Amino acid sequence: MSKFRNQHMKISWEQLAGKCSSQPAASASLAEKSALVGRFGLMMLGVGAGAYRVRAAMNKASRAMGISVNADIGLLSIEYTCVSGNESYTNAISLSRTAVNTDRLNHLREFIDIFSRCADCVSIKEAFDALDEIENAVPHYSAPILGLAAATACAAFTFLLGGGIVEMLCAFFGAGAGNFVRKKLLDRHITLFANVALGVAVSCLVYIGLDKAAEALFGVSSGHQAGYICAMLFVIPGFPLITGGMDLAKLDLRSGLERIVYALLIVFVATITGWLCARAFDFAPADFMAFEISEPLKIFLRLAASFAAVFGFSLMFNSSPRMAFTAGLIGMICNTARLELLDLTNIPFSLAAFFAAMASGLFASAAKRLYGLPRLTITVPSIVIMVPGLFMYRGIYFLASENVSEGSLWLLKAALIVCSLTFGLIAARILTDENFRKNS
């Protein structure tokens, strides 16, 4: 029987850095400095940061130690060269998988800021020990909590898309079960296609089972199939879609294209899995059943549902309660404004998404100045509920059913909205961040 072996061998940072002496980092050898710069970059890459943010962290650490770095950054790997005088050191390092961990991202950013001011009094070994502590920190939330977060987010998402109480309940239990299973699979390092497909399949089957049970036991109408897609929206790859677009805006083409392809793979696997489950049980995309509520109540419920959805998605990204609450407030305001704009005017979906994302980015910049929170940890959760997962699913469903014209139309709508969300964040970043605004 063959023994499992890691395809991506673990890096021994202490060996890579040499002896890791106790002298200050600014006075260490180039090999030690380069190892530390690579560790900073790889850890930033591993928590979901885009190439722009990874490069900024590596640059900050390098400047503090008196060296220069030039890096080529992808989704899972970094090739970089550090230069000091006429001496250079080149290395290539990689990850086995990518993930999103906003709390770790925040701690890394804080430590890099501290290190950049204290490189002449912090040794390489002390820096590595601090990074080990950050890397080995236990996530805030267990699988049951993450299941509950996904359940809350997707149930609220269902209401925002037009669903009623039956669709919300089915999506709540479906998404909760699906994300719980996916978290367990991720803990066992199950590969991307398998964990996405199995997590989505569980969510779909739970939704279908509850819907059929409600029909059989309580005589509930059979017209609640429209909420089926909402049970799988916890897999929406908001971070790679948005960071990929941001990287393309800075001409980091390798990282941007790799992230977008990664996001499209998740969307494709999830939607194909949903389509197969739907065909097996004769579920088809449909419009939500109409129900009437007063305008003031609708606005209040949209505010509450937007906050709940963003808060839930933030917890799934391992955000601290403070970050999740801040993102929830921003998402609550921006998404409700977007929906009201769509109701009251003839503005296109994509243009409304642009304005909402730009507002979210501007609010996030203000939060960064006031509270020191990284923009990325706030903006992506606050706009992930605007990503048109329903449109994506319908597009793939109709294409798989050989209805090319209908499928292409839905996918085109989805692409326009995703691009508009990204452009909105880019516009806000250009307005508020001089380093992003200028080529350097």
Side-chain angles (χ1 to χ4, degrees):
M1 188 174 180
S2 63
K3 182 181 178 181
F4 174 78
R5 291 177 294 183
N6 289 327
Q7 185 179 14
H8 295 265
M9 300 177 72
K10 187 175 181 180
I11 299 173
S12 175
W13 291 104
E14 288 74 14
Q15 291 182 5
L16 186 63
K19 59 184 179 180
C20 278
S21 62
S22 57
Q23 64 180 328
S27 304
S29 68
L30 180 60
E32 291 176 317
K33 293 177 180 179
S34 299
L36 184 57
V37 169
R39 181 79 184 277
F40 277 131
L42 201 63
M43 286 186 67
M44 290 290 289
L45 194 65
V47 297
Y52 171 74
R53 182 53 55 199
V54 173
R55 184 175 288 105
M58 296 175 73
N59 288 344
K60 201 166 194 176
S62 297
R63 291 190 186 100
M65 293 186 289
I67 62 175
S68 300
V69 64
N70 197 325
D72 182 24
I73 302 165
L75 174 67
L76 295 172
S77 61
I78 304 174
E79 292 81 41
Y80 68 102
T81 298
C82 291
V83 180
S84 177
N86 59 359
E87 186 181 4
S88 66
Y89 183 99
T90 299
N91 198 11
I93 49 181
S94 65
L95 298 165
S96 60
R97 63 174 181 173
T98 185
V100 177
N101 190 326
T102 55
D103 184 63
R104 186 178 296 173
L105 172 62
N106 189 40
H107 285 304
L108 279 170
R109 183 190 61 84
E110 289 176 347
F111 178 69
I112 292 170
D113 286 344
I114 294 171
F115 178 82
S116 67
R117 298 191 297 268
C118 305
D120 55 350
C121 57
V122 174
S123 70
I124 295 287
K125 186 178 185 310
E126 289 172 334
F128 273 123
D129 289 342
L131 291 177
D132 285 339
E133 185 176 345
I134 294 172
E135 188 171 43
N136 296 327
V138 178
H140 287 308
Y141 313 109
S142 62
I145 297 298
L146 292 176
L148 181 61
T152 303
C154 290
F157 210 160
T158 304
F159 173 78
L160 294 171
L161 291 173
I165 188 65
V166 174
E167 292 92 347
M168 291 175 67
L169 286 173
C170 292
F172 179 90
F173 290 105
N179 199 45
F180 174 83
V181 168
R182 190 178 183 218
K183 171 61 177 173
K184 289 295 186 180
L185 294 173
L186 287 171
D187 289 342
R188 289 166 173 76
H189 304 284
I190 301 300
T191 191
L192 176 70
F193 278 33
N195 72 62
V196 171
L198 290 173
V200 168
V202 168
S203 67
C204 292
L205 293 176
V206 169
Y207 187 100
I208 292 170
L210 291 174
D211 183 68
K212 297 292 185 183
E215 288 182 38
L217 298 177
F218 305 107
V220 174
S221 167
S222 60
H224 298 288
Q225 297 183 9
Y228 168 74
I229 178 61
C230 301
M232 68 175 83
L233 293 179
F234 62 89
V235 298
I236 288 177
F239 257 84
L241 279 174
I242 299 304
T243 56
M246 301 285 278
D247 283 344
L248 290 178
K250 292 295 290 183
L251 297 183
D252 277 307
L253 300 183
R254 176 191 168 194
S255 177
L257 292 174
E258 287 182 11
R259 288 173 185 279
I260 289 174
V261 169
Y262 170 74
L264 292 177
L265 283 174
I266 294 176
V267 170
F268 181 77
V269 173
T271 51
I272 285 294
T273 303
W275 173 75
L276 289 172
C277 294
R279 289 301 295 253
F281 294 93
D282 197 27
F283 263 50
D287 293 328
F288 288 100
M289 297 176 66
F291 59 94
E292 293 294 331
I293 55 176
S294 65
E295 188 64 24
L297 179 60
K298 182 171 68 173
I299 294 174
F300 173 78
L301 292 177
R302 280 178 170 176
L303 288 168
S306 296
F307 178 86
V310 173
F311 190 86
F313 279 119
S314 295
L315 296 188
M316 289 166 58
F317 298 144
N318 198 45
S319 295
S320 67
R322 182 189 181 197
M323 284 192 288
F325 184 80
T326 304
L329 290 178
I330 293 174
M332 175 182 74
I333 296 168
C334 295
N335 189 57
T336 302
R338 177 184 69 93
L339 295 174
E340 289 299 310
L341 194 61
L342 290 171
D343 284 350
L344 300 175
T345 69
N346 293 323
I347 189 172
F349 277 90
S350 55
L351 192 55
F354 172 85
F355 287 130
M358 185 169 68
S360 176
L362 294 174
F363 280 128
S365 294
K368 181 179 185 298
R369 289 193 297 271
L370 291 173
Y371 308 114
L373 298 175
R375 293 182 185 89
L376 190 64
T377 63
I378 302 172
T379 52
V380 176
S382 68
I383 70 168
V384 73
I385 59 173
M386 305 177 200
V387 175
L390 181 62
F391 289 10
M392 295 175 184
Y393 170 71
R394 287 184 173 181
I396 295 296
Y397 181 93
F398 286 120
L399 286 180
S401 302
E402 301 182 0
N403 188 342
V404 176
S405 60
E406 190 74 12
S408 300
L409 179 61
W410 283 109
L411 289 179
L412 178 60
K413 290 179 179 179
L416 287 173
I417 293 174
V418 170
C419 289
S420 297
L421 291 172
T422 305
F423 292 156
L425 287 184
I426 291 170
R429 196 64 176 271
I430 289 173
L431 291 172
T432 58
D433 186 348
E434 185 178 10
N435 289 324
F436 192 91
R437 182 165 58 245
K438 295 181 178 180
N439 288 324
S440 59

